[in-house]
C-alpha cells in the first residue's frame, strides 16, 4: 500500500539518526512524518512519606522537562529537512503505555522503530508490543534505519500459511510488486494432506507464489531445511545470502506469553533484526 503517514517513536535522547532516516523515508514517498517522543512516567513511591513524595514530584518534573527538550530538538532538526511533519511528546504511565501507543499508531500507515530505543529496553518493548497488538498497522524495525527503504529491490517473505503471514504478504504487496525479485521462504515445510491438501494443492508455498505472480511479482519459492537450526537463524542467513533489503513476516503466530518465556521467531527478529523487518500482527 501507499504510505502517506509514517509514525516514528523515539525516546528523549540520542534519536537524531533515527529522525533523519525516517525523514528520508518520508521524502522518498512524499509522506508525512509524525514523531512521538515518549518518556515513561516515574512510578509513585510506596508509602506516604513527605520526603519521598517530594522527590517523586521533582523526578516527574525533571522527566517532563526532558520530554519538552526532546520535542524542541526534534522540531529543530526537522525544520531543515523539507518534509511535512508534526512532533507531539507523550509522558506515558507505564500501565497504559501499550494502549496509548496503539491508539496513536492507528492514525498512521506505518510505525517505524529504529536503534535509538535500544537505550531503554523497557520503553522499546512497550513500543513494539503496543504498536503490534493495538494498532492494526504494520511495524518496520531496523537495527539501523539508514538501511531501511520503502522501495526494496529484494524482498524476503517469510511464509508459513498463517493468518499473520498472509497479512504480511498483503501489506507488503506494493513493495513486492515494485521489487526486482521476491523470495518466498518456507523453513522445513510439510506437504499438506487430506482436507488441507485440497486447499494448498499439496505443494507448500505454491498457492502464495501463484497469488503473488498474478499481481505481477517476480517470485522465487525457497523451501529450506532447518538442519537443526532455529527458524530465525535460517531466515536471517537466507536474507543475508540473497542481499534482501526487507524481510516481511507475520508476528506472534504463537501466544505472546509463550514467546516471552520460551523464545520464538518473532521475539528473535525483534531483538536482533539482521535486515529491516516489516512485521504485521
Amino acid at each position: 500500500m501507499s504510505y502517506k503517514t509514517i509514525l516514528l517513536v523515539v525516546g528523549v535522547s540520542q534519536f537524531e539518526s533515527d529522525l533523519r532516516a525516517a525523514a528520508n523515508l518520508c521524502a522518498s514517498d512524499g509522506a508525512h512524518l509524525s514523531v512521538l517522543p515518549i518518556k515513561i512516567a516515574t512510578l509513585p513511591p510506596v508509602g506516604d512519606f513527605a520526603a519521598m513524595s517530594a522527590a517523586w514530584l521533582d523526578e516527574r518534573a525533571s522527566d517532563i522537562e526532558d520530554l519538552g527538550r526532546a520535542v524542541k530538538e526534534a522540531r529543530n532538526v526537522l525544520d531543515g529537512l523539507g518534509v511535512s511533519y508534526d512532533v507531539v511528546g507523550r509522558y506515558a504511565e507505564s500501565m497504559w503505555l501499550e494502549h496509548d501507543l496503539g491508539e496513536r499508531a492507528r492514525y498512521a500507515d506505518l510505525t517505524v522503530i529504529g536503534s535509538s530505543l535500544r537505550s531503554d529496553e523497557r520503553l522499546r518493548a512497550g513500543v513494539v508490543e503496543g504498536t503490534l497488538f493495538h494498532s492494526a498497522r504494520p511495524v518496520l524495525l531496523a537495527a539501523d534505519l539508514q538501511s531501511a527503504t520503502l522501495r526494496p529491490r529484494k524482498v524476503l517473505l517469510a511464509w508459513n500459511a498463517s493468518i499473520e503471514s498472509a497479512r504480511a504478504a498483503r501489506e507488503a504487496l506494493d513493495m513486492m510488486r515494485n521489487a526486482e525479485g521476491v523470495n518466498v521462504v518456507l523453513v522445513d515445510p510439510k506437504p499438506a494432506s487430506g482436507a488441507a491438501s485440497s486447499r494448498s494443492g499439496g505443494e507448500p508455498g505454491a498457492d502464495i507464489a501463484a497469488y503473488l505472480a498474478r499481481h505481477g511479482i517476480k517470485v522465487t519459492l525457497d523451501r529450506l531445511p532447518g538442519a537443526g537450526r532455529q527458524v530465525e537463524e535460517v531466515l536471517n542467513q537466507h536474507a543475508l545470502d540473497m542481499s534482501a533489503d526487507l524481510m516481511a513476516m507475520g508476528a506472534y503466530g504463537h501466544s505472546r506469553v509463550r514467546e516471552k518465556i520460551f523464545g520464538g521467531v518473532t521475539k528473535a527478529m525483534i531483538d536482533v533484526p539482521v535486515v529491516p523487518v516489516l512485521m504485521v500482527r
Side-chain angles (χ1 to χ4, degrees):
M1 67 172 290
S2 176
Y3 297 125
K4 293 303 180 184
T5 303
I6 294 176
L7 174 66
L8 172 69
V9 185
V10 296
V12 296
S13 63
Q14 300 177 334
F15 56 74
E16 184 173 344
S17 177
D18 282 354
L19 194 63
R20 290 182 179 277
N24 288 337
L25 283 178
C26 289
S28 68
D29 269 32
H32 176 85
L33 177 60
S34 186
V35 182
L36 183 64
I38 292 182
K39 181 74 175 181
I40 297 179
T42 302
L43 293 173
V46 177
D48 56 356
F49 296 104
M52 291 177 65
S53 297
W56 174 59
L57 291 173
D58 287 344
E59 190 167 354
R60 286 176 72 95
S62 177
D63 287 346
I64 292 171
E65 286 182 9
D66 290 343
L67 184 60
R69 280 193 293 271
V71 169
K72 184 176 180 180
E73 179 184 344
R75 288 173 179 163
N76 287 340
V77 171
L78 291 170
D79 275 343
L81 298 182
V83 296
S84 172
Y85 77 87
D86 68 85
V87 182
V88 179
R90 179 72 61 87
Y91 192 52
E93 302 295 337
S94 58
M95 68 182 299
W96 300 112
L97 176 63
E98 291 186 20
H99 290 279
D100 286 351
L101 280 163
E103 182 176 333
R104 182 66 185 82
R106 290 170 204 162
Y107 302 101
D109 298 305
L110 175 72
T111 298
V112 175
I113 300 171
S115 61
S116 64
L117 289 182
R118 287 288 182 190
S119 61
D120 189 340
E121 285 298 334
R122 178 181 168 214
L123 175 58
R124 186 174 187 271
V127 170
V128 170
E129 297 197 8
T131 51
L132 276 177
F133 279 88
H134 301 290
S135 74
R137 297 289 187 270
V139 177
L140 179 66
L141 298 107
D144 178 7
L145 272 185
Q146 298 289 346
S147 66
T149 176
L150 300 180
R151 302 187 181 196
R153 293 181 306 106
K154 295 183 179 180
V155 178
L156 186 158
L157 173 63
W159 183 255
N160 62 2
S162 65
I163 290 175
E164 294 81 10
S165 62
R167 288 173 180 152
R170 186 66 185 86
E171 184 64 41
L173 201 59
D174 284 349
M175 287 189 282
M176 292 191 291
R177 187 184 291 116
N178 294 320
E180 292 178 5
V182 174
N183 291 59
V184 176
V185 179
L186 300 84
V187 180
D188 283 335
K190 296 179 175 59
S193 60
S197 180
S198 64
R199 294 193 297 269
S200 67
E203 289 286 339
D207 283 354
I208 185 62
Y211 166 78
L212 296 178
R214 293 186 198 108
H215 281 275
I217 295 169
K218 305 176 186 68
V219 182
T220 300
L221 184 57
D222 297 328
R223 302 184 183 103
L224 304 179
R229 296 172 295 169
Q230 298 294 325
V231 171
E232 59 270 19
E233 294 179 52
V234 179
L235 291 173
N236 280 331
Q237 186 58 57
H238 201 61
L240 293 174
D241 291 343
M242 61 174 279
S243 300
D245 303 299
L246 179 76
M247 182 187 303
M249 63 176 288
Y252 289 111
H254 299 296
S255 76
R256 179 166 38 162
V257 173
R258 174 179 167 180
E259 291 225 5
K260 277 187 174 180
I261 296 173
F262 299 107
V265 178
T266 305
K267 183 178 184 303
M269 294 301 185
I270 289 171
D271 290 345
V272 188
V274 172
V275 299
V277 179
L278 183 75
M279 281 192 177
V280 182
R281 178 70 173 87

